[in-house]
Amino acid sequence: MVAKIGLLALQGDYDKHSHILAQLGMQSVLIRYPQQLNEISGLIIPGGESTTISKLIDISNLRQPLLLFARKFPILGTCAGLIIISKLQQEDSRVKTLKILDITITRNAYGPQSYSFIDNLTVIIDNKRSLNIDVTFIRAPQINTFESNVEVLASYNNMPVAIRQGHHIGLTFHPELNNVILFHQLAFGHALITRPYF
Amino acid sequence: MKQNTTSFAIKVGLAEMLKGGVIMDVTNPEQATIAENSGAVAVMALERIPADIRKDGGIARMSDPEIIMEIQQAVTIPVMAKCRIGHLVEAQILEALNVDFIDESEVLTPADDINHVWKHDYNVPFVCGCRNLGEALRRIGEGACMIRTKGEAGSGNIVEAVRHMRQLQYEIRGLNGLNIEELMAKAKDIGAPFDLVCQVAKIGKLPVPHFAAGGIATPADAALMIQLGAKTVFVGSGIFMSVDPARRAEAIVEAVTYFDDFQKLASISTGLKGAMRGIDISDIPEEQRLQNRGW
């Protein structure tokens, strides 16, 4: 039995995540319709443009189904995908977020593409395991505030860049561009037992 | 902090994020706002859209920085701008303006009839047009982080974009099964860097994201290019030369996401009012075809 993980395939670099899921022995399913959420036990909302993804979520009638899905199953949001599941620091009619995570976020906080970068992060999980990984920040957002139920997994310049809240994981960067499998493992490692009837 | 790190991977990274989207030509902040609200993943800031460049004639140059800056102010999505082929200084000015992507484009009048810009020298990523595999790999060799078909810009006619996309796919498939000696002969034949020819033979696709441009005027045109293998489409004149730009822009965005859903494409294509008029390619004299620019 193979765990099926959805890739929200409205816009963005979703295909890059399927390679990582394959390494973890998981099957990827491209998600474009609400009823497809019934087939999967976890979802990745990829990087892309948050304005575009937000608009297509409404066009595709996915807003309510995604909120219901998030109650039961893990979502991994990277970059624009993280924006989609967070609250905006400043409301902006261009991006209607799902407000699943109790964090506030600023879009494109580092500036234009010339300020995108690759750098090393130290990741701490359950206050013990510490890992060093290289990851890519592309016109990345920044997490401004977070509630006490949010666990910070990694920081950069003293700002949180990887967080966990319940079964959800949020990243301001792109692990898929450096073939980092850690966060996918963390988000979906238990996927098999959460939906045993498939 | 490694800000400003000029690595090819970082530049290709932005091209990856633009996949599954629509990049729209705009000439002012109002159009840029319409594009952003319609779901564009990026805008291309221009002084004139290709159809007007074709009509007006004269020399087409990089946009006035003022227009680019106004558009950067108006939207939060990436802003691209065009420089003339081989015009190093226009490229340097666009880098100084902090545009997110530079299109070294055949739509503008070339500044150099032999050489292109050495794109590895810049922090800002470049996209370039191509008609075939040799041209695509020469541009990637120079540092392009994204390749698009040229098509015939400003024509409203999809036939050239289809020709270029099919040609590229045909040539990529043709590398399959060639041995190392034959790949060298092929590299010589198509005028492409040998290492890139070997890489394409190995992975079966271009090493950078491959988008489509040139003549896309309807949601069906956009979906056609995605079905033929493009990851994203550039729409130049097709949106703002049409009767209802906002509605058409939105429909093209939706058509790219649902490129293989016949029912959705039918409803997306319904009631869009007039598309741009378009020109038959045989009515464009050979010397006026923009696709022939680039070497």
Coordinates of all heavy atoms in Angstrom, one line a residue, chain A residues 9-13 15-16 32-33 47-49 51-52 55-56 59-60 92 94 107-108 110 112-119 138-139 156-157 174 176-177, chain B residues 1-4 7 9-11 13-14 16-21 36-41 74-78 98 100 124-125 250 254 257-259 261 264:
Chain A
A9 N -2.1 21.5 -8.0 CA -1.6 21.7 -9.3 C -2.3 22.8 -10.1 O -2.7 22.7 -11.2 CB -1.5 20.4 -10.1
L10 N -2.5 24.0 -9.4 CA -3.2 25.1 -10.0 C -2.2 26.0 -10.8 O -2.4 26.4 -11.9 CB -4.0 25.9 -9.0 CG -5.0 25.1 -8.2 CD1 -5.6 26.0 -7.1 CD2 -6.1 24.6 -9.2
Q11 N -1.0 26.2 -10.1 CA 0.1 26.9 -10.7 C 1.3 26.8 -9.8 O 1.1 26.6 -8.6 CB -0.3 28.4 -10.8 CG 0.7 29.3 -11.6 CD 1.9 29.8 -10.7 OE1 1.7 30.2 -9.6 NE2 3.1 29.8 -11.3
G12 N 2.5 26.8 -10.4 CA 3.7 26.7 -9.6 C 4.6 25.5 -9.9 O 4.4 24.8 -10.9
D13 N 5.6 25.2 -9.0 CA 6.6 24.2 -9.3 C 6.2 22.9 -8.7 O 7.0 22.2 -8.2 CB 8.0 24.7 -8.9 CG 8.2 24.5 -7.4 OD1 7.2 24.7 -6.6 OD2 9.3 24.3 -7.0
D15 N 5.5 20.0 -9.9 CA 6.2 18.8 -10.4 C 7.5 18.5 -9.7 O 7.9 17.3 -9.6 CB 6.4 18.8 -12.0 CG 7.2 20.0 -12.4 OD1 7.4 21.0 -11.6 OD2 7.6 20.1 -13.6
K16 N 8.2 19.5 -9.2 CA 9.4 19.3 -8.5 C 9.2 18.5 -7.2 O 10.2 17.8 -6.7 CB 10.1 20.7 -8.1 CG 10.6 21.4 -9.3 CD 12.1 21.0 -9.6 CE 12.5 21.5 -11.0 NZ 13.7 20.8 -11.5
R32 N -6.6 19.2 -8.9 CA -7.2 20.4 -9.6 C -8.7 20.5 -9.3 O -9.4 21.4 -9.7 CB -7.0 20.3 -11.1 CG -5.5 20.4 -11.5 CD -5.4 20.7 -12.9 NE -3.9 20.9 -13.3 CZ -3.2 20.0 -13.8 NH1 -3.7 18.8 -14.2 NH2 -1.9 20.3 -14.1
Y33 N -9.3 19.4 -8.7 CA -10.8 19.4 -8.5 C -11.0 19.0 -7.0 O -10.3 18.2 -6.4 CB -11.4 18.3 -9.4 CG -11.1 18.5 -10.9 CD1 -10.0 17.9 -11.4 CD2 -11.9 19.4 -11.6 CE1 -9.7 18.1 -12.8 CE2 -11.6 19.6 -13.0 CZ -10.5 18.9 -13.5 OH -10.2 19.1 -14.9
G47 N 5.3 26.3 -4.3 CA 5.7 27.7 -4.6 C 5.1 28.1 -5.9 O 4.8 27.2 -6.8
G48 N 5.0 29.4 -6.2 CA 4.4 29.9 -7.4 C 4.1 31.3 -7.1 O 4.8 32.0 -6.3
E49 N 3.0 31.9 -7.7 CA 2.6 33.2 -7.3 C 1.3 33.1 -6.5 O 0.3 32.5 -6.9 CB 2.3 34.0 -8.6 CG 3.6 34.6 -9.2 CD 4.4 35.5 -8.2 OE1 3.8 36.3 -7.4 OE2 5.6 35.2 -8.1
T51 N -0.8 35.3 -5.6 CA -2.0 36.0 -6.2 C -2.7 35.0 -7.2 O -4.0 34.9 -7.2 CB -1.6 37.2 -7.0 OG1 -0.5 36.9 -7.9 CG2 -1.1 38.4 -6.1
T52 N -2.0 34.3 -8.0 CA -2.5 33.4 -9.0 C -3.2 32.2 -8.4 O -4.3 31.8 -8.7 CB -1.4 33.0 -10.0 OG1 -0.7 34.1 -10.5 CG2 -2.0 32.1 -11.1
K55 N -6.4 33.1 -6.6 CA -7.5 33.3 -7.5 C -8.0 31.9 -8.1 O -9.2 31.7 -8.2 CB -7.0 34.1 -8.7 CG -8.1 34.6 -9.6 CD -7.6 35.5 -10.7 CE -8.7 35.9 -11.6 NZ -9.7 36.7 -11.0
L56 N -7.1 31.0 -8.4 CA -7.5 29.7 -9.0 C -8.2 28.8 -7.9 O -9.0 28.0 -8.3 CB -6.3 29.1 -9.6 CG -5.9 29.7 -10.9 CD1 -4.5 29.2 -11.3 CD2 -6.8 29.3 -12.1
I59 N -11.7 30.0 -8.3 CA -12.3 29.6 -9.6 C -12.6 28.1 -9.6 O -13.6 27.7 -10.1 CB -11.3 29.9 -10.7 CG1 -11.2 31.5 -11.0 CG2 -11.6 29.2 -12.0 CD1 -10.2 31.9 -12.0
S60 N -11.8 27.4 -8.9 CA -11.9 25.9 -8.8 C -12.8 25.4 -7.7 O -12.8 24.2 -7.5 CB -10.5 25.3 -8.7 OG -9.6 25.9 -9.6
D92 N -4.6 42.2 1.9 CA -4.4 42.6 0.5 C -5.5 41.9 -0.3 O -5.5 40.6 -0.3 CB -3.0 42.2 0.1 CG -2.6 42.6 -1.3 OD1 -3.5 42.9 -2.1 OD2 -1.4 42.6 -1.6
R94 N -5.6 41.2 -3.2 CA -5.1 40.3 -4.3 C -4.9 38.9 -3.8 O -4.8 38.0 -4.7 CB -3.7 40.9 -4.8 CG -3.9 42.2 -5.5 CD -2.6 42.8 -5.9 NE -2.0 43.5 -4.7 CZ -1.3 44.6 -4.9 NH1 -1.0 45.1 -6.1 NH2 -0.8 45.2 -3.8
R107 N 4.4 39.1 2.2 CA 4.8 38.5 0.9 C 6.1 39.2 0.4 O 6.3 40.4 0.7 CB 3.7 38.7 -0.2 CG 2.4 38.0 0.2 CD 1.3 38.4 -0.8 NE 1.7 38.3 -2.2 CZ 1.3 39.1 -3.2 NH1 0.6 40.1 -2.9 NH2 1.7 38.8 -4.4
N108 N 6.9 38.5 -0.4 CA 8.0 39.0 -1.1 C 8.8 40.0 -0.2 O 9.1 41.1 -0.6 CB 7.5 39.8 -2.4 CG 8.6 40.1 -3.3 OD1 9.7 39.6 -3.2 ND2 8.4 41.1 -4.2
Y110 N 11.9 40.0 0.9 CA 13.4 40.2 0.7 C 13.7 41.1 -0.5 O 14.8 41.6 -0.7 CB 14.1 38.9 0.5 CG 14.1 38.0 1.7 CD1 13.0 37.2 1.9 CD2 15.2 37.9 2.6 CE1 13.0 36.3 3.0 CE2 15.2 37.1 3.7 CZ 14.0 36.2 3.9 OH 14.0 35.4 5.0
P112 N 13.2 42.1 -4.9 CA 13.1 41.5 -6.2 C 14.0 40.3 -6.3 O 14.8 40.0 -5.4 CB 13.4 42.6 -7.1 CG 14.1 43.7 -6.3 CD 13.6 43.5 -4.9
Q113 N 14.0 39.7 -7.5 CA 14.7 38.4 -7.7 C 16.2 38.6 -7.4 O 16.8 37.6 -7.0 CB 14.5 38.0 -9.2 CG 15.3 36.8 -9.7 CD 15.1 35.5 -8.9 OE1 14.2 35.4 -8.1 NE2 16.0 34.6 -9.0
S114 N 16.8 39.7 -7.6 CA 18.3 39.8 -7.4 C 18.6 39.5 -5.9 O 19.8 39.2 -5.6 CB 18.8 41.3 -7.6 OG 18.1 41.9 -8.6
Y115 N 17.6 39.6 -5.0 CA 17.9 39.3 -3.6 C 17.5 37.8 -3.2 O 17.5 37.5 -2.0 CB 17.1 40.3 -2.7 CG 17.7 41.7 -2.9 CD1 17.1 42.5 -3.8 CD2 18.8 42.1 -2.2 CE1 17.6 43.8 -4.0 CE2 19.3 43.4 -2.4 CZ 18.7 44.2 -3.3 OH 19.2 45.5 -3.5
S116 N 17.1 37.0 -4.2 CA 16.9 35.6 -3.9 C 18.3 34.9 -3.6 O 19.3 35.4 -4.1 CB 16.2 34.9 -5.1 OG 14.9 35.5 -5.3
F117 N 18.3 33.9 -2.8 CA 19.5 33.3 -2.4 C 19.4 31.8 -2.0 O 18.3 31.4 -1.7 CB 20.2 34.1 -1.3 CG 19.3 34.2 -0.1 CD1 19.5 33.3 1.0 CD2 18.3 35.1 0.0 CE1 18.7 33.4 2.2 CE2 17.5 35.2 1.1 CZ 17.7 34.4 2.2
I118 N 20.6 31.2 -2.0 CA 20.6 29.8 -1.4 C 21.5 29.9 -0.2 O 22.6 30.6 -0.2 CB 21.3 28.8 -2.4 CG1 20.4 28.7 -3.6 CG2 21.5 27.5 -1.7 CD1 21.0 27.8 -4.7
D119 N 21.1 29.3 1.0 CA 21.9 29.4 2.2 C 21.7 28.2 3.1 O 20.7 27.5 2.8 CB 21.8 30.7 2.9 CG 23.1 31.1 3.6 OD1 23.9 30.3 3.8 OD2 23.1 32.3 4.1
I138 N 13.4 32.1 -2.9 CA 13.1 32.8 -4.2 C 12.0 33.9 -3.9 O 10.8 33.5 -3.6 CB 12.5 31.9 -5.3 CG1 13.5 30.7 -5.5 CG2 12.2 32.6 -6.5 CD1 14.7 31.1 -6.4
R139 N 12.3 35.1 -4.0 CA 11.3 36.2 -3.7 C 10.5 35.8 -2.5 O 9.3 35.8 -2.5 CB 10.4 36.4 -4.9 CG 11.2 37.2 -6.0 CD 10.3 37.3 -7.3 NE 8.9 37.6 -7.1 CZ 8.5 38.9 -7.2 NH1 9.2 39.9 -7.5 NH2 7.2 39.1 -6.9
Y156 N 16.2 32.0 10.3 CA 17.3 32.6 9.5 C 17.4 34.1 9.8 O 16.3 34.8 9.8 CB 17.0 32.4 8.0 CG 18.1 32.8 7.0 CD1 19.2 31.9 6.9 CD2 18.1 34.0 6.4 CE1 20.2 32.3 6.0 CE2 19.1 34.4 5.5 CZ 20.2 33.5 5.4 OH 21.2 33.8 4.5
N157 N 18.5 34.6 10.2 CA 18.7 35.9 10.7 C 17.6 36.2 11.8 O 17.0 37.2 11.9 CB 18.5 37.0 9.6 CG 19.7 37.0 8.7 OD1 20.8 36.5 9.1 ND2 19.5 37.6 7.5
H174 N 12.3 26.8 -0.5 CA 12.0 25.7 -1.4 C 12.9 24.5 -1.1 O 14.0 24.5 -1.7 CB 12.2 26.2 -2.8 CG 11.2 27.2 -3.2 ND1 9.9 26.9 -3.5 CD2 11.3 28.6 -3.3 CE1 9.3 28.1 -3.8 NE2 10.1 29.1 -3.7
E176 N 12.4 21.6 -2.2 CA 12.3 20.8 -3.4 C 13.4 21.2 -4.5 O 13.8 20.4 -5.3 CB 10.9 20.8 -4.1 CG 10.6 22.1 -4.8 CD 10.2 23.3 -4.0 OE1 10.3 23.2 -2.7 OE2 9.8 24.4 -4.5
L177 N 13.9 22.5 -4.4 CA 14.9 22.9 -5.3 C 16.3 22.4 -4.9 O 17.3 22.4 -5.7 CB 14.9 24.4 -5.5 CG 13.7 25.0 -6.1 CD1 13.9 26.5 -6.3 CD2 13.3 24.4 -7.5
Chain B
M1 N 25.2 36.4 5.4 CA 24.1 36.4 4.5 C 24.6 36.4 3.1 O 25.3 37.3 2.7 CB 23.2 37.5 4.8 CG 22.0 37.6 3.9 SD 20.5 38.0 4.8 CE 19.3 38.2 3.5
K2 N 24.2 35.4 2.3 CA 24.7 35.3 0.9 C 23.7 36.0 0.0 O 23.3 35.4 -1.0 CB 24.9 33.9 0.5 CG 26.0 33.2 1.3 CD 26.2 31.8 0.7 CE 26.9 30.9 1.7 NZ 26.7 29.5 1.4
Q3 N 23.3 37.2 0.3 CA 22.5 38.0 -0.7 C 23.2 38.2 -2.0 O 24.5 38.3 -2.0 CB 22.0 39.3 -0.1 CG 20.7 39.2 0.6 CD 20.1 40.5 0.9 OE1 20.7 41.6 0.6 NE2 18.9 40.6 1.5
N4 N 22.5 38.3 -3.1 CA 23.1 38.6 -4.3 C 24.0 37.5 -4.9 O 24.7 37.7 -5.8 CB 24.0 39.9 -4.3 CG 23.1 41.1 -4.4 OD1 22.2 41.1 -5.3 ND2 23.3 42.1 -3.6
S7 N 24.0 32.5 -8.6 CA 24.1 31.2 -9.1 C 23.0 30.9 -10.1 O 21.9 31.4 -9.9 CB 24.2 30.2 -7.9 OG 23.1 29.3 -7.9
A9 N 21.4 28.3 -10.3 CA 20.2 27.6 -9.7 C 19.2 28.6 -9.1 O 18.0 28.3 -9.2 CB 20.8 26.7 -8.6
I10 N 19.7 29.7 -8.5 CA 18.8 30.6 -8.0 C 17.9 31.3 -9.1 O 16.7 31.5 -9.0 CB 19.5 31.7 -7.2 CG1 20.3 31.1 -6.0 CG2 18.6 32.8 -6.8 CD1 21.2 32.1 -5.4
K11 N 18.6 31.5 -10.2 CA 17.9 32.2 -11.3 C 16.9 31.2 -12.0 O 15.8 31.6 -12.3 CB 18.9 32.7 -12.4 CG 19.8 33.8 -11.8 CD 20.6 34.5 -12.8 CE 21.9 33.8 -13.2 NZ 22.7 34.6 -14.1
G13 N 15.5 29.0 -10.4 CA 14.4 28.8 -9.4 C 13.2 29.7 -9.7 O 12.1 29.2 -9.5
L14 N 13.5 30.9 -10.1 CA 12.3 31.8 -10.3 C 11.5 31.3 -11.5 O 10.3 31.3 -11.5 CB 12.7 33.3 -10.5 CG 11.6 34.2 -10.8 CD1 10.5 34.2 -9.7 CD2 12.1 35.6 -11.0
E16 N 11.2 28.3 -12.4 CA 10.4 27.1 -11.9 C 9.1 27.6 -11.3 O 8.0 27.0 -11.5 CB 11.2 26.3 -10.9 CG 12.4 25.7 -11.4 CD 12.2 24.4 -12.3 OE1 11.0 24.0 -12.3 OE2 13.1 24.0 -12.9
M17 N 9.1 28.7 -10.5 CA 7.9 29.2 -9.8 C 6.9 29.8 -10.8 O 5.7 29.9 -10.5 CB 8.3 30.3 -8.8 CG 9.2 29.8 -7.7 SD 8.6 28.3 -7.0 CE 10.2 27.4 -6.8
L18 N 7.3 30.1 -12.0 CA 6.4 30.7 -13.0 C 5.7 29.7 -13.8 O 4.8 30.0 -14.6 CB 7.2 31.6 -13.9 CG 7.9 32.8 -13.3 CD1 8.8 33.6 -14.3 CD2 6.9 33.8 -12.6
K19 N 6.0 28.4 -13.5 CA 5.4 27.3 -14.3 C 3.8 27.2 -14.1 O 3.4 27.6 -13.0 CB 6.0 25.9 -13.9 CG 7.3 25.7 -14.5 CD 7.8 24.3 -14.1 CE 9.1 24.0 -14.8 NZ 9.6 22.7 -14.3
G20 N 3.2 26.8 -15.1 CA 1.7 26.6 -15.0 C 1.0 28.0 -15.0 O -0.1 28.1 -14.5
G21 N 1.6 29.0 -15.6 CA 1.1 30.3 -15.5 C 1.0 31.1 -16.8 O 1.3 30.5 -17.9
E36 N -2.5 41.5 -13.2 CA -2.3 40.9 -11.9 C -3.7 40.4 -11.3 O -3.8 39.3 -10.8 CB -1.7 41.9 -10.9 CG -1.4 41.3 -9.5 CD -0.7 42.3 -8.6 OE1 -1.1 43.4 -8.5 OE2 0.3 41.9 -7.9
N37 N -4.7 41.2 -11.5 CA -6.0 40.8 -10.9 C -6.6 39.6 -11.7 O -7.5 38.9 -11.2 CB -7.0 42.0 -11.0 CG -6.6 43.0 -9.9 OD1 -5.9 42.7 -9.0 ND2 -7.0 44.3 -10.2
S38 N -6.1 39.5 -12.9 CA -6.7 38.3 -13.8 C -5.9 37.1 -13.5 O -6.2 36.0 -14.0 CB -6.5 38.7 -15.2 OG -7.2 39.9 -15.5
G39 N -4.8 37.1 -12.7 CA -4.1 35.9 -12.3 C -2.8 35.7 -13.0 O -2.2 34.6 -13.0
A40 N -2.3 36.7 -13.7 CA -1.0 36.6 -14.3 C 0.1 36.2 -13.3 O 0.0 36.7 -12.2 CB -0.6 37.9 -15.0
V41 N 1.1 35.4 -13.7 CA 2.2 35.1 -12.8 C 3.3 36.1 -12.8 O 4.2 36.2 -12.0 CB 2.8 33.7 -13.0 CG1 1.9 32.6 -12.6 CG2 3.3 33.5 -14.4
A74 N 3.1 49.3 -9.3 CA 1.7 49.0 -9.3 C 1.4 47.5 -9.0 O 0.3 47.2 -8.5 CB 1.1 49.2 -10.8
V75 N 2.3 46.6 -9.1 CA 2.0 45.2 -8.9 C 3.0 44.5 -7.9 O 4.1 45.0 -7.7 CB 2.0 44.4 -10.2 CG1 0.9 44.9 -11.2 CG2 3.4 44.4 -10.9
T76 N 2.6 43.4 -7.4 CA 3.4 42.6 -6.5 C 4.0 41.4 -7.2 O 4.9 40.7 -6.6 CB 2.6 42.1 -5.3 OG1 1.5 41.3 -5.7 CG2 2.0 43.3 -4.5
I77 N 3.5 41.0 -8.3 CA 4.1 39.9 -9.1 C 5.4 40.3 -9.8 O 5.6 41.5 -9.9 CB 3.0 39.3 -10.1 CG1 2.6 40.4 -11.0 CG2 1.8 38.7 -9.3 CD1 1.5 39.9 -12.1
P78 N 6.2 39.3 -10.2 CA 7.4 39.7 -10.9 C 7.2 40.5 -12.1 O 6.2 40.4 -12.9 CB 8.0 38.3 -11.3 CG 7.4 37.3 -10.3 CD 6.0 37.8 -10.0
N98 N 16.4 46.5 -11.1 CA 15.9 45.4 -10.3 C 14.7 44.8 -10.9 O 13.8 44.4 -10.2 CB 15.6 45.9 -8.9 CG 16.8 45.5 -8.0 OD1 17.4 44.5 -8.1 ND2 17.0 46.4 -7.0
D100 N 12.7 41.6 -12.4 CA 12.9 40.2 -11.9 C 13.4 39.3 -13.0 O 13.9 38.2 -12.7 CB 11.5 39.7 -11.4 CG 11.1 40.5 -10.2 OD1 11.8 40.3 -9.1 OD2 10.2 41.3 -10.2
V124 N 20.3 39.1 -12.5 CA 18.9 38.9 -13.0 C 18.9 37.8 -14.0 O 19.7 37.7 -14.9 CB 18.4 40.2 -13.6 CG1 17.0 40.1 -14.2 CG2 18.4 41.3 -12.5
P125 N 17.9 36.9 -13.9 CA 17.8 35.8 -14.9 C 17.3 36.3 -16.2 O 16.6 37.3 -16.3 CB 16.8 34.8 -14.3 CG 16.0 35.6 -13.3 CD 16.9 36.7 -12.8
E250 N -8.2 36.5 -17.8 CA -8.7 35.5 -16.8 C -8.9 34.1 -17.5 O -8.5 33.1 -16.9 CB -10.0 36.0 -16.2 CG -10.2 35.5 -14.8 CD -11.3 36.4 -14.1 OE1 -11.0 37.5 -13.7 OE2 -12.4 35.9 -14.0
E254 N -7.1 30.5 -16.7 CA -7.8 29.3 -16.3 C -7.5 28.1 -17.3 O -7.4 27.0 -17.0 CB -9.3 29.6 -16.3 CG -10.1 28.6 -15.4 CD -11.5 29.0 -15.4 OE1 -11.9 30.1 -15.7 OE2 -12.3 28.1 -15.0
T257 N -4.3 26.2 -16.5 CA -4.4 25.2 -15.4 C -5.2 24.0 -15.9 O -4.8 22.9 -15.6 CB -5.1 25.9 -14.2 OG1 -4.3 27.0 -13.8 CG2 -5.4 24.9 -13.1
Y258 N -6.3 24.2 -16.6 CA -7.2 23.1 -17.1 C -6.9 22.8 -18.5 O -7.9 22.6 -19.3 CB -8.6 23.5 -16.8 CG -8.9 23.6 -15.3 CD1 -8.9 24.8 -14.6 CD2 -9.0 22.4 -14.6 CE1 -9.1 24.8 -13.2 CE2 -9.2 22.4 -13.2 CZ -9.2 23.6 -12.5 OH -9.4 23.7 -11.2
F259 N -5.7 22.7 -18.9 CA -5.3 22.6 -20.4 C -5.8 21.3 -21.0 O -5.8 21.2 -22.2 CB -3.7 22.7 -20.5 CG -3.0 21.6 -19.9 CD1 -2.6 20.5 -20.6 CD2 -2.7 21.6 -18.5 CE1 -1.9 19.4 -20.0 CE2 -2.0 20.5 -17.9 CZ -1.7 19.4 -18.7
D261 N -8.7 19.6 -19.9 CA -10.1 19.3 -19.5 C -11.0 19.9 -20.6 O -11.3 21.1 -20.6 CB -10.4 20.0 -18.1 CG -11.8 19.7 -17.6 OD1 -12.7 19.5 -18.4 OD2 -11.9 19.7 -16.4
K264 N -14.1 22.0 -19.5 CA -13.8 23.3 -18.9 C -13.3 24.2 -20.0 O -13.7 25.4 -20.0 CB -12.7 23.1 -17.9 CG -13.2 22.8 -16.5 CD -12.5 23.6 -15.4 CE -13.0 23.1 -14.0 NZ -13.1 24.2 -13.1

